[in-house]
Amino acid sequence: MTKLDSKIPAGPLAEKWTNYKAHQNLVNPANKRKIDVIVVGTGLAGGSAAASLSELGFNVKVFCIQDSPRRAHSIAAQGGINAAKNYPNDGDSVYRLFYDTVKGGDYRAREANVYRLAEVSNNIIDQCVAQGVPFAREYGGLLDNRSFGGALVSRTFYARGQTGQQLLLGAYSALSKEINKGSVEMFTRREMMDIVIMDGKARGIIVRNLVTGELERHGAHAVLLATGGYGNVFFLSTNAMTSNGSAAWKAYKRGAYFGDPSFVQIHPTCIPVHGDYQSKLTLMSESLRNDGRIWVPKKKEDAELIQQGKLSPVKIPEEDRDYYLERRYPAFGNLVPRDVASRAAKERCDAGHGVGNTGLAVYLDFKDAINRLGKNVIEARYGNLFQMYEKIVDENPYETPMMIYPAIHYTMGGIWVDYELQSTIPGLFVGGEANFSDHGANRLGASALMQGLSDGYFVLPYTMQNYLADQINIPHFDTNTPEFNQTANDVQGTIDKLFAVNGSKTVDSFHKRLGLIMWDHVGMARNKEGLEKAISEIKELRKEFWENVSVPGEKTGMNVELEKALRVVDFLELGELMARDALDRNESCGGHFREEYKTPEGEAMRDDSKYMYVSAWEYKGADNEPQLHKEPLIYENIEVKQRNYKTA
Amino acid sequence: MDLKLKIWRQAGPDAEGKFVHYPVHNISQDASFLEMMDILNEELVANGEEPVAFDHDCREGICGMCSLFINGYPHGPDDSITTCQLHMRKFKDGETIVIEPWRAKPFPIIKDLMVDRSAFDEIIQAGGYVSINTGGVPDANAIPIKKEHADLAMDAAACIGCGACVAACKNASAMLFVSAKVSQFALLPQGKIEAKLRVENMVAKMDDLGFGNCTNTYACEAECPKDISIANIARMNREFLVAKLS
Ligand SMILES: Cc1cc2nc3c(=O)[nH]c(=O)nc-3n(C[C@H](O)[C@H](O)[C@H](O)COP(=O)(O)OP(=O)(O)OC[C@H]3O[C@@H](n4cnc5c(N)ncnc54)[C@H](O)[C@@H]3O)c2cc1C
């Protein structure tokens, strides 16, 4: 059994990373050329890591599902990226960003990792500006900031409502530069199917060429997974259609522990569900909470009339509106963290005050901001989001308040990694949303982009080098070994098995049913009974899938249904582990809300005496239950408290 | 609503393609265009037929993956949006909708409605970046930039690389795409240092890859889902001229 060693460097918190870098092993420039590194994923984490590793001199092979590295899901991030620059002079510091992140995560993240994240946050902004990322600026020519949830300072840098796009295009430009130089080889429209382990170390991957259908083999001295989050296990989420959990799941099945799988973020401001044909949910950026006020009708009768389409929200007088976040959390108001805002919306809707034709929506109202600042200011700040809303809902949010409802958005859980972002499989590193590391039980807005770029530009190039330093005598890998043959056969076996089912139900129909089980029982509110039910329902669904799924078309050539089927195979297993993890954790923390464990006011109630740990699950084979390992969390630099957003 | 779809089907890059007719029924006005395509595909799969292959991913208009030519327009008849943001309320009950892939030599068809746009990546690789490595850069606020310039650079940088400009152009010119990247850097101090090489290399690569000439029809600007302005083309031409003269 692998031992859980988080490898946190010794010394005071603020010096750990500096000390690490001062003492780590390095590879001499001439030897770097002898070393191959595989990077799976070209989002912020993968794109930035691949470019930086190549700049150092390693040979890098990069893979992504889309037709271009520029289209990774990071492109969709809207609101912004945090950094502790303190440019607005409003009291920010590395410590405060660290503190807010640990507190926001409800004390379920590792102190040393989060501190490092806060520390390098400033380098990220410098790097991106130097690349030509057009961040928003003030008239004086310096960078502008906005506020995000869970913070009392303005530390969020942004590029209109397209921050993720601009940061990703920055990383993509660095990657393109390295491709041009010849030290990065880019493989697009490829999906990693499995990881090849030799002598206990990650030594390569099997990928499916999505155009030809061929299985290809690639060997390397180390493998980095930067494959994003698994929110699509819920079918409906704000993630892109190809976002998946498969790469992480394959790593888990090859021996990497899965950390905190049940920690999922439900984002409070998404466009509500409107029909059963719906394919995804659209996020309305958190930045809107800077100027929008969230409310529902005070009177149930009003809510009912609105649901029936007989009353317009603009007709409801001020005194009949319940600005419930401002009422419940006076200090943070509309800027409470996401988990708190989501639960509060659910609470009001469950109590019968929801709006929209389903009653599952609340208002996000810009009336006051428009009166105060003028329509043009609001348009300059959020124009593209308002346009996006109008196209989907067919209502003008400048005139009628937006309707929003929580939706699955982000997964804090992921492959367990140590301080070096290395999994329990030596040589397998995991970065970005795919790892579990920095956000505990709830991620603060604008911190995923920060983490992805921190991992990729500033952490992995150091820590991977530390690992690679003793690999310089190992020659380039031959992919004709028994291990490669075996792994490729396993992958082919799954594909053959899928075609052999020859059933009558579509892949999507199973995925939708899985999504409903997950949303009902492993979503915003969880309880023991529901979680147990989810586990047994998922098992049954999995059985039915393997008896009755239909995958038409050929094994060779482009086959989109096969791609989807392969991802759903893994979701059907991953969903069960998520429910299991949620069942183990008899407490509420951050986004993990167990109805049995709450304060009299309905807030999440942690149990630090029993659950102050990271759960790390070990795969024990298809017929056995996974084994739970615990990494205790130790807080030496932060006083652990009940989270409080009512008073500052 | 009920609709008649006329869709281009092509088994592979070298196979012969043809239009195939598919009726679809009971489509909600509130469904997106791609959700309508999902419904068709679900029906096809349920009948054991192969679904229509089309590119898509984020489904919120930013990844640039979706690419359909609908009733003669790249990204369909609505303005300033991508196909994934197009909603069925823009169509009439009973209407026939013709759906084709991008048609341009540098974008060969892969299957059905999917095309290969890697030519765009190659153009960026030729110079669409600032040649700096990770680390060792100045403090972000040490490079002040006029807000006006930063805003214009952002307007240009908003390009999603979908290829609608090429698909809209009778010459399959990529000038709007290339000029948007050249402009972003031309407007920023960070981009000035390599300005000459950048514009020369990117334009040479564009020509190499077989994209056609710009004959100022402005079809690209009209069809661009992100409203990238043709002023960028003028800016690039200036950059190019300056490069040649220096
Ligand atoms: C709508 C939306 C808005 C957001 N807004 C913000 C925001 O304002 N601020 C913020 O901080 N965060 C935001 N987030 C979160 C943030 O965008 C993501 O967490 C982050 O971008 C993830 O980056 P990544 O590099 O880890 O993965 P991704 O960007 O998801 O990239 C994954 C990559 O892996 C590849 N891949 C996956 N599986 C495989 C496989 N099996 N084989 C080969 N390749 C594979 C994909 O092709 C892709 O290249 C937002 C998220 C969403 C959904």
Side-chain angles (χ1 to χ4, degrees), chain A residues 40-45 65-66 72-74 77-80 192 226-228 238 244 283 409-410 433 446-449:
Chain A
V40 189
T42 59
L44 289 181
I65 295 177
Q66 292 81 4
H73 175 54
S74 294
Q78 301 168 351
M192 188 201 98
T227 46
T238 61
N244 67 85
L283 175 76
H409 179 58
Y410 180 89
E433 192 174 337
S447 286
L449 302 185

PDB file of all heavy atoms in Angstrom, chain A residues 40-45 65-66 72-74 77-80 192 226-228 238 244 283 409-410 433 446-449, ligand 1:
ATOM      1  N   VAL A  40      -1.252  16.034 -20.792  1.00  0.00           N
ATOM      2  CA  VAL A  40      -2.590  15.780 -21.314  1.00  0.00           C
ATOM      3  C   VAL A  40      -3.478  16.944 -20.904  1.00  0.00           C
ATOM      4  O   VAL A  40      -3.697  17.178 -19.712  1.00  0.00           O
ATOM      5  CB  VAL A  40      -3.176  14.455 -20.766  1.00  0.00           C
ATOM      6  CG1 VAL A  40      -4.464  14.125 -21.502  1.00  0.00           C
ATOM      7  CG2 VAL A  40      -2.180  13.324 -20.893  1.00  0.00           C
ATOM      8  N   GLY A  41      -3.955  17.692 -21.890  1.00  0.00           N
ATOM      9  CA  GLY A  41      -4.808  18.839 -21.603  1.00  0.00           C
ATOM     10  C   GLY A  41      -4.113  20.140 -21.933  1.00  0.00           C
ATOM     11  O   GLY A  41      -2.921  20.310 -21.650  1.00  0.00           O
ATOM     12  N   THR A  42      -4.844  21.053 -22.550  1.00  0.00           N
ATOM     13  CA  THR A  42      -4.276  22.341 -22.948  1.00  0.00           C
ATOM     14  C   THR A  42      -5.070  23.504 -22.391  1.00  0.00           C
ATOM     15  O   THR A  42      -5.113  24.575 -22.977  1.00  0.00           O
ATOM     16  CB  THR A  42      -4.245  22.469 -24.478  1.00  0.00           C
ATOM     17  OG1 THR A  42      -5.598  22.347 -24.947  1.00  0.00           O
ATOM     18  CG2 THR A  42      -3.386  21.406 -25.114  1.00  0.00           C
ATOM     19  N   GLY A  43      -5.755  23.265 -21.269  1.00  0.00           N
ATOM     20  CA  GLY A  43      -6.412  24.380 -20.593  1.00  0.00           C
ATOM     21  C   GLY A  43      -5.354  25.240 -19.928  1.00  0.00           C
ATOM     22  O   GLY A  43      -4.162  25.144 -20.244  1.00  0.00           O
ATOM     23  N   LEU A  44      -5.776  26.073 -18.991  1.00  0.00           N
ATOM     24  CA  LEU A  44      -4.802  26.959 -18.358  1.00  0.00           C
ATOM     25  C   LEU A  44      -3.679  26.170 -17.728  1.00  0.00           C
ATOM     26  O   LEU A  44      -2.505  26.526 -17.850  1.00  0.00           O
ATOM     27  CB  LEU A  44      -5.502  27.815 -17.299  1.00  0.00           C
ATOM     28  CG  LEU A  44      -6.429  28.872 -17.874  1.00  0.00           C
ATOM     29  CD1 LEU A  44      -7.051  29.679 -16.752  1.00  0.00           C
ATOM     30  CD2 LEU A  44      -5.673  29.796 -18.812  1.00  0.00           C
ATOM     31  N   ALA A  45      -4.007  25.069 -17.060  1.00  0.00           N
ATOM     32  CA  ALA A  45      -2.972  24.316 -16.362  1.00  0.00           C
ATOM     33  C   ALA A  45      -2.056  23.611 -17.361  1.00  0.00           C
ATOM     34  O   ALA A  45      -0.829  23.756 -17.301  1.00  0.00           O
ATOM     35  CB  ALA A  45      -3.610  23.313 -15.406  1.00  0.00           C
ATOM     36  N   ILE A  65      -8.531  17.100 -26.636  1.00  0.00           N
ATOM     37  CA  ILE A  65      -9.687  16.519 -27.328  1.00  0.00           C
ATOM     38  C   ILE A  65     -10.156  17.417 -28.479  1.00  0.00           C
ATOM     39  O   ILE A  65     -10.544  16.938 -29.537  1.00  0.00           O
ATOM     40  CB  ILE A  65     -10.845  16.327 -26.321  1.00  0.00           C
ATOM     41  CG1 ILE A  65     -10.444  15.285 -25.269  1.00  0.00           C
ATOM     42  CG2 ILE A  65     -12.124  15.913 -27.035  1.00  0.00           C
ATOM     43  CD1 ILE A  65     -11.479  15.073 -24.188  1.00  0.00           C
ATOM     44  N   GLN A  66     -10.114  18.715 -28.250  1.00  0.00           N
ATOM     45  CA  GLN A  66     -10.643  19.654 -29.242  1.00  0.00           C
ATOM     46  C   GLN A  66      -9.741  19.714 -30.477  1.00  0.00           C
ATOM     47  O   GLN A  66      -8.659  19.157 -30.482  1.00  0.00           O
ATOM     48  CB  GLN A  66     -10.766  21.056 -28.615  1.00  0.00           C
ATOM     49  CG  GLN A  66     -11.813  21.179 -27.529  1.00  0.00           C
ATOM     50  CD  GLN A  66     -11.352  20.681 -26.172  1.00  0.00           C
ATOM     51  OE1 GLN A  66     -10.208  20.294 -25.985  1.00  0.00           O
ATOM     52  NE2 GLN A  66     -12.261  20.672 -25.204  1.00  0.00           N
ATOM     53  N   ALA A  72      -9.756  24.636 -25.146  1.00  0.00           N
ATOM     54  CA  ALA A  72      -9.982  23.946 -23.870  1.00  0.00           C
ATOM     55  C   ALA A  72     -11.038  24.702 -23.075  1.00  0.00           C
ATOM     56  O   ALA A  72     -11.258  25.901 -23.272  1.00  0.00           O
ATOM     57  CB  ALA A  72      -8.690  23.872 -23.081  1.00  0.00           C
ATOM     58  N   HIS A  73     -11.644  23.990 -22.170  1.00  0.00           N
ATOM     59  CA  HIS A  73     -12.769  24.550 -21.444  1.00  0.00           C
ATOM     60  C   HIS A  73     -12.449  25.824 -20.657  1.00  0.00           C
ATOM     61  O   HIS A  73     -13.331  26.653 -20.409  1.00  0.00           O
ATOM     62  CB  HIS A  73     -13.340  23.474 -20.520  1.00  0.00           C
ATOM     63  CG  HIS A  73     -14.411  23.983 -19.645  1.00  0.00           C
ATOM     64  ND1 HIS A  73     -15.507  24.630 -20.159  1.00  0.00           N
ATOM     65  CD2 HIS A  73     -14.556  23.978 -18.324  1.00  0.00           C
ATOM     66  CE1 HIS A  73     -16.277  24.993 -19.155  1.00  0.00           C
ATOM     67  NE2 HIS A  73     -15.721  24.620 -18.038  1.00  0.00           N
ATOM     68  N   SER A  74     -11.197  26.023 -20.293  1.00  0.00           N
ATOM     69  CA  SER A  74     -10.808  27.268 -19.601  1.00  0.00           C
ATOM     70  C   SER A  74     -11.256  28.502 -20.379  1.00  0.00           C
ATOM     71  O   SER A  74     -11.448  29.572 -19.798  1.00  0.00           O
ATOM     72  CB  SER A  74      -9.288  27.343 -19.457  1.00  0.00           C
ATOM     73  OG  SER A  74      -8.786  26.346 -18.622  1.00  0.00           O
ATOM     74  N   ALA A  77     -14.225  30.646 -19.005  1.00  0.00           N
ATOM     75  CA  ALA A  77     -14.257  31.375 -17.737  1.00  0.00           C
ATOM     76  C   ALA A  77     -14.509  32.851 -18.019  1.00  0.00           C
ATOM     77  O   ALA A  77     -13.943  33.422 -18.939  1.00  0.00           O
ATOM     78  CB  ALA A  77     -12.955  31.185 -16.970  1.00  0.00           C
ATOM     79  N   GLN A  78     -15.364  33.429 -17.233  1.00  0.00           N
ATOM     80  CA  GLN A  78     -15.830  34.775 -17.552  1.00  0.00           C
ATOM     81  C   GLN A  78     -15.227  35.835 -16.635  1.00  0.00           C
ATOM     82  O   GLN A  78     -14.596  36.783 -17.080  1.00  0.00           O
ATOM     83  CB  GLN A  78     -17.362  34.820 -17.418  1.00  0.00           C
ATOM     84  CG  GLN A  78     -18.068  33.829 -18.316  1.00  0.00           C
ATOM     85  CD  GLN A  78     -19.556  33.671 -17.984  1.00  0.00           C
ATOM     86  OE1 GLN A  78     -20.041  34.185 -16.979  1.00  0.00           O
ATOM     87  NE2 GLN A  78     -20.276  32.970 -18.839  1.00  0.00           N
ATOM     88  N   GLY A  79     -15.437  35.652 -15.342  1.00  0.00           N
ATOM     89  CA  GLY A  79     -15.343  36.769 -14.412  1.00  0.00           C
ATOM     90  C   GLY A  79     -13.971  37.316 -14.112  1.00  0.00           C
ATOM     91  O   GLY A  79     -13.764  38.525 -14.099  1.00  0.00           O
ATOM     92  N   GLY A  80     -12.992  36.451 -13.821  1.00  0.00           N
ATOM     93  CA  GLY A  80     -11.714  37.028 -13.481  1.00  0.00           C
ATOM     94  C   GLY A  80     -10.770  36.093 -12.778  1.00  0.00           C
ATOM     95  O   GLY A  80     -11.059  34.921 -12.575  1.00  0.00           O
ATOM     96  N   MET A 192      -7.065  10.741 -24.261  1.00  0.00           N
ATOM     97  CA  MET A 192      -6.308   9.757 -23.498  1.00  0.00           C
ATOM     98  C   MET A 192      -7.249   8.691 -22.974  1.00  0.00           C
ATOM     99  O   MET A 192      -8.279   8.989 -22.393  1.00  0.00           O
ATOM    100  CB  MET A 192      -5.620  10.430 -22.325  1.00  0.00           C
ATOM    101  CG  MET A 192      -4.669   9.518 -21.605  1.00  0.00           C
ATOM    102  SD  MET A 192      -4.358  10.103 -19.936  1.00  0.00           S
ATOM    103  CE  MET A 192      -5.502   9.070 -19.043  1.00  0.00           C
ATOM    104  N   ALA A 226      -3.749  17.333 -16.952  1.00  0.00           N
ATOM    105  CA  ALA A 226      -4.359  18.636 -16.677  1.00  0.00           C
ATOM    106  C   ALA A 226      -5.675  18.634 -17.442  1.00  0.00           C
ATOM    107  O   ALA A 226      -5.899  19.425 -18.347  1.00  0.00           O
ATOM    108  CB  ALA A 226      -3.440  19.764 -17.134  1.00  0.00           C
ATOM    109  N   THR A 227      -6.507  17.670 -17.066  1.00  0.00           N
ATOM    110  CA  THR A 227      -7.661  17.322 -17.888  1.00  0.00           C
ATOM    111  C   THR A 227      -8.971  17.918 -17.388  1.00  0.00           C
ATOM    112  O   THR A 227     -10.034  17.534 -17.865  1.00  0.00           O
ATOM    113  CB  THR A 227      -7.778  15.793 -17.963  1.00  0.00           C
ATOM    114  OG1 THR A 227      -7.614  15.251 -16.652  1.00  0.00           O
ATOM    115  CG2 THR A 227      -6.699  15.203 -18.850  1.00  0.00           C
ATOM    116  N   GLY A 228      -8.900  18.838 -16.435  1.00  0.00           N
ATOM    117  CA  GLY A 228     -10.098  19.560 -16.023  1.00  0.00           C
ATOM    118  C   GLY A 228     -10.970  18.791 -15.048  1.00  0.00           C
ATOM    119  O   GLY A 228     -10.579  17.751 -14.520  1.00  0.00           O
ATOM    120  N   THR A 238     -22.303  23.634 -16.022  1.00  0.00           N
ATOM    121  CA  THR A 238     -21.805  24.750 -16.829  1.00  0.00           C
ATOM    122  C   THR A 238     -20.571  24.344 -17.629  1.00  0.00           C
ATOM    123  O   THR A 238     -19.998  25.156 -18.337  1.00  0.00           O
ATOM    124  CB  THR A 238     -21.415  25.941 -15.933  1.00  0.00           C
ATOM    125  OG1 THR A 238     -20.362  25.509 -15.055  1.00  0.00           O
ATOM    126  CG2 THR A 238     -22.585  26.421 -15.103  1.00  0.00           C
ATOM    127  N   ASN A 244     -14.805  15.957 -18.975  1.00  0.00           N
ATOM    128  CA  ASN A 244     -15.050  14.578 -18.565  1.00  0.00           C
ATOM    129  C   ASN A 244     -14.233  14.216 -17.343  1.00  0.00           C
ATOM    130  O   ASN A 244     -13.370  14.963 -16.916  1.00  0.00           O
ATOM    131  CB  ASN A 244     -14.706  13.632 -19.727  1.00  0.00           C
ATOM    132  CG  ASN A 244     -13.230  13.644 -20.020  1.00  0.00           C
ATOM    133  OD1 ASN A 244     -12.461  12.916 -19.396  1.00  0.00           O
ATOM    134  ND2 ASN A 244     -12.800  14.499 -20.942  1.00  0.00           N
ATOM    135  N   LEU A 283     -23.644  29.683 -17.315  1.00  0.00           N
ATOM    136  CA  LEU A 283     -23.276  30.486 -16.158  1.00  0.00           C
ATOM    137  C   LEU A 283     -23.482  31.960 -16.454  1.00  0.00           C
ATOM    138  O   LEU A 283     -23.213  32.424 -17.549  1.00  0.00           O
ATOM    139  CB  LEU A 283     -21.792  30.250 -15.856  1.00  0.00           C
ATOM    140  CG  LEU A 283     -21.205  31.097 -14.735  1.00  0.00           C
ATOM    141  CD1 LEU A 283     -21.650  30.565 -13.401  1.00  0.00           C
ATOM    142  CD2 LEU A 283     -19.701  31.110 -14.824  1.00  0.00           C
ATOM    143  N   HIS A 409     -20.934  23.346 -11.281  1.00  0.00           N
ATOM    144  CA  HIS A 409     -20.006  24.245 -11.949  1.00  0.00           C
ATOM    145  C   HIS A 409     -18.558  23.786 -11.905  1.00  0.00           C
ATOM    146  O   HIS A 409     -17.815  23.953 -12.866  1.00  0.00           O
ATOM    147  CB  HIS A 409     -20.121  25.617 -11.280  1.00  0.00           C
ATOM    148  CG  HIS A 409     -19.219  26.657 -11.838  1.00  0.00           C
ATOM    149  ND1 HIS A 409     -19.249  27.016 -13.167  1.00  0.00           N
ATOM    150  CD2 HIS A 409     -18.258  27.423 -11.269  1.00  0.00           C
ATOM    151  CE1 HIS A 409     -18.341  27.961 -13.370  1.00  0.00           C
ATOM    152  NE2 HIS A 409     -17.723  28.215 -12.243  1.00  0.00           N
ATOM    153  N   TYR A 410     -18.142  23.207 -10.803  1.00  0.00           N
ATOM    154  CA  TYR A 410     -16.708  22.995 -10.606  1.00  0.00           C
ATOM    155  C   TYR A 410     -16.521  21.844  -9.634  1.00  0.00           C
ATOM    156  O   TYR A 410     -17.357  21.626  -8.761  1.00  0.00           O
ATOM    157  CB  TYR A 410     -16.107  24.277 -10.017  1.00  0.00           C
ATOM    158  CG  TYR A 410     -14.624  24.209  -9.753  1.00  0.00           C
ATOM    159  CD1 TYR A 410     -13.711  24.557 -10.739  1.00  0.00           C
ATOM    160  CD2 TYR A 410     -14.133  23.786  -8.512  1.00  0.00           C
ATOM    161  CE1 TYR A 410     -12.349  24.484 -10.501  1.00  0.00           C
ATOM    162  CE2 TYR A 410     -12.775  23.712  -8.272  1.00  0.00           C
ATOM    163  CZ  TYR A 410     -11.887  24.070  -9.269  1.00  0.00           C
ATOM    164  OH  TYR A 410     -10.537  24.000  -9.038  1.00  0.00           O
ATOM    165  N   GLU A 433      -7.855  21.899 -12.425  1.00  0.00           N
ATOM    166  CA  GLU A 433      -9.077  21.421 -11.779  1.00  0.00           C
ATOM    167  C   GLU A 433      -9.033  19.900 -11.555  1.00  0.00           C
ATOM    168  O   GLU A 433      -9.732  19.371 -10.704  1.00  0.00           O
ATOM    169  CB  GLU A 433     -10.292  21.812 -12.634  1.00  0.00           C
ATOM    170  CG  GLU A 433     -11.619  21.618 -11.912  1.00  0.00           C
ATOM    171  CD  GLU A 433     -12.817  22.131 -12.692  1.00  0.00           C
ATOM    172  OE1 GLU A 433     -12.642  23.008 -13.576  1.00  0.00           O
ATOM    173  OE2 GLU A 433     -13.938  21.670 -12.408  1.00  0.00           O
ATOM    174  N   ALA A 446     -12.921  33.201  -9.072  1.00  0.00           N
ATOM    175  CA  ALA A 446     -11.682  33.736  -9.644  1.00  0.00           C
ATOM    176  C   ALA A 446     -10.425  33.053  -9.101  1.00  0.00           C
ATOM    177  O   ALA A 446      -9.316  33.551  -9.299  1.00  0.00           O
ATOM    178  CB  ALA A 446     -11.590  35.256  -9.459  1.00  0.00           C
ATOM    179  N   SER A 447     -10.599  31.938  -8.414  1.00  0.00           N
ATOM    180  CA  SER A 447      -9.439  31.237  -7.888  1.00  0.00           C
ATOM    181  C   SER A 447      -9.047  30.009  -8.699  1.00  0.00           C
ATOM    182  O   SER A 447      -7.961  29.470  -8.501  1.00  0.00           O
ATOM    183  CB  SER A 447      -9.694  30.816  -6.436  1.00  0.00           C
ATOM    184  OG  SER A 447      -9.621  31.943  -5.621  1.00  0.00           O
ATOM    185  N   ALA A 448      -9.915  29.553  -9.595  1.00  0.00           N
ATOM    186  CA  ALA A 448      -9.557  28.387 -10.412  1.00  0.00           C
ATOM    187  C   ALA A 448      -8.561  28.794 -11.478  1.00  0.00           C
ATOM    188  O   ALA A 448      -7.594  28.081 -11.760  1.00  0.00           O
ATOM    189  CB  ALA A 448     -10.788  27.781 -11.065  1.00  0.00           C
ATOM    190  N   LEU A 449      -8.780  29.967 -12.068  1.00  0.00           N
ATOM    191  CA  LEU A 449      -7.847  30.440 -13.090  1.00  0.00           C
ATOM    192  C   LEU A 449      -6.486  30.666 -12.452  1.00  0.00           C
ATOM    193  O   LEU A 449      -5.445  30.306 -13.002  1.00  0.00           O
ATOM    194  CB  LEU A 449      -8.375  31.731 -13.723  1.00  0.00           C
ATOM    195  CG  LEU A 449      -9.758  31.639 -14.378  1.00  0.00           C
ATOM    196  CD1 LEU A 449     -10.103  32.961 -15.062  1.00  0.00           C
ATOM    197  CD2 LEU A 449      -9.815  30.514 -15.390  1.00  0.00           C
TER     198      LEU A 449
HETATM  199  C1  LIG C   1     -18.595  28.812 -17.466  1.00  0.00           C
HETATM  200  C2  LIG C   1     -17.432  28.823 -16.529  1.00  0.00           C
HETATM  201  C3  LIG C   1     -16.936  30.023 -16.053  1.00  0.00           C
HETATM  202  C4  LIG C   1     -15.854  30.050 -15.175  1.00  0.00           C
HETATM  203  N1  LIG C   1     -15.387  31.260 -14.721  1.00  0.00           N
HETATM  204  C5  LIG C   1     -14.308  31.280 -13.894  1.00  0.00           C
HETATM  205  C6  LIG C   1     -13.768  32.524 -13.461  1.00  0.00           C
HETATM  206  O1  LIG C   1     -14.254  33.598 -13.797  1.00  0.00           O
HETATM  207  N2  LIG C   1     -12.698  32.493 -12.653  1.00  0.00           N
HETATM  208  C7  LIG C   1     -12.098  31.334 -12.258  1.00  0.00           C
HETATM  209  O2  LIG C   1     -11.109  31.371 -11.551  1.00  0.00           O
HETATM  210  N3  LIG C   1     -12.593  30.141 -12.678  1.00  0.00           N
HETATM  211  C8  LIG C   1     -13.679  30.087 -13.483  1.00  0.00           C
HETATM  212  N4  LIG C   1     -14.172  28.867 -13.898  1.00  0.00           N
HETATM  213  C9  LIG C   1     -13.437  27.637 -13.575  1.00  0.00           C
HETATM  214  C10 LIG C   1     -12.233  27.485 -14.470  1.00  0.00           C
HETATM  215  O3  LIG C   1     -12.535  27.950 -15.758  1.00  0.00           O
HETATM  216  C11 LIG C   1     -11.773  26.043 -14.605  1.00  0.00           C
HETATM  217  O4  LIG C   1     -11.706  25.433 -13.366  1.00  0.00           O
HETATM  218  C12 LIG C   1     -10.383  26.004 -15.207  1.00  0.00           C
HETATM  219  O5  LIG C   1     -10.335  26.758 -16.386  1.00  0.00           O
HETATM  220  C13 LIG C   1      -9.941  24.584 -15.482  1.00  0.00           C
HETATM  221  O6  LIG C   1      -8.716  24.612 -16.187  1.00  0.00           O
HETATM  222  P1  LIG C   1      -7.907  23.303 -16.457  1.00  0.00           P
HETATM  223  O7  LIG C   1      -6.683  23.714 -17.174  1.00  0.00           O
HETATM  224  O8  LIG C   1      -7.738  22.547 -15.203  1.00  0.00           O
HETATM  225  O9  LIG C   1      -8.837  22.389 -17.372  1.00  0.00           O
HETATM  226  P2  LIG C   1      -9.653  22.669 -18.727  1.00  0.00           P
HETATM  227  O10 LIG C   1      -9.571  24.061 -19.181  1.00  0.00           O
HETATM  228  O11 LIG C   1     -10.995  22.068 -18.513  1.00  0.00           O
HETATM  229  O12 LIG C   1      -8.874  21.837 -19.797  1.00  0.00           O
HETATM  230  C14 LIG C   1      -8.930  20.463 -19.881  1.00  0.00           C
HETATM  231  C15 LIG C   1      -8.073  20.031 -21.033  1.00  0.00           C
HETATM  232  O13 LIG C   1      -7.887  18.630 -20.955  1.00  0.00           O
HETATM  233  C16 LIG C   1      -8.213  18.025 -22.172  1.00  0.00           C
HETATM  234  N5  LIG C   1      -8.677  16.691 -21.857  1.00  0.00           N
HETATM  235  C17 LIG C   1      -9.607  16.300 -20.953  1.00  0.00           C
HETATM  236  N6  LIG C   1      -9.708  14.970 -20.920  1.00  0.00           N
HETATM  237  C18 LIG C   1      -8.826  14.499 -21.818  1.00  0.00           C
HETATM  238  C19 LIG C   1      -8.468  13.207 -22.260  1.00  0.00           C
HETATM  239  N7  LIG C   1      -9.002  12.111 -21.736  1.00  0.00           N
HETATM  240  N8  LIG C   1      -7.527  13.101 -23.227  1.00  0.00           N
HETATM  241  C20 LIG C   1      -6.947  14.195 -23.776  1.00  0.00           C
HETATM  242  N9  LIG C   1      -7.232  15.431 -23.385  1.00  0.00           N
HETATM  243  C21 LIG C   1      -8.173  15.587 -22.416  1.00  0.00           C
HETATM  244  C22 LIG C   1      -9.200  18.940 -22.827  1.00  0.00           C
HETATM  245  O14 LIG C   1      -9.195  18.746 -24.216  1.00  0.00           O
HETATM  246  C23 LIG C   1      -8.646  20.292 -22.410  1.00  0.00           C
HETATM  247  O15 LIG C   1      -7.617  20.657 -23.288  1.00  0.00           O
HETATM  248  C24 LIG C   1     -15.257  28.845 -14.764  1.00  0.00           C
HETATM  249  C25 LIG C   1     -15.750  27.635 -15.242  1.00  0.00           C
HETATM  250  C26 LIG C   1     -16.855  27.625 -16.091  1.00  0.00           C
HETATM  251  C27 LIG C   1     -17.418  26.309 -16.493  1.00  0.00           C
END
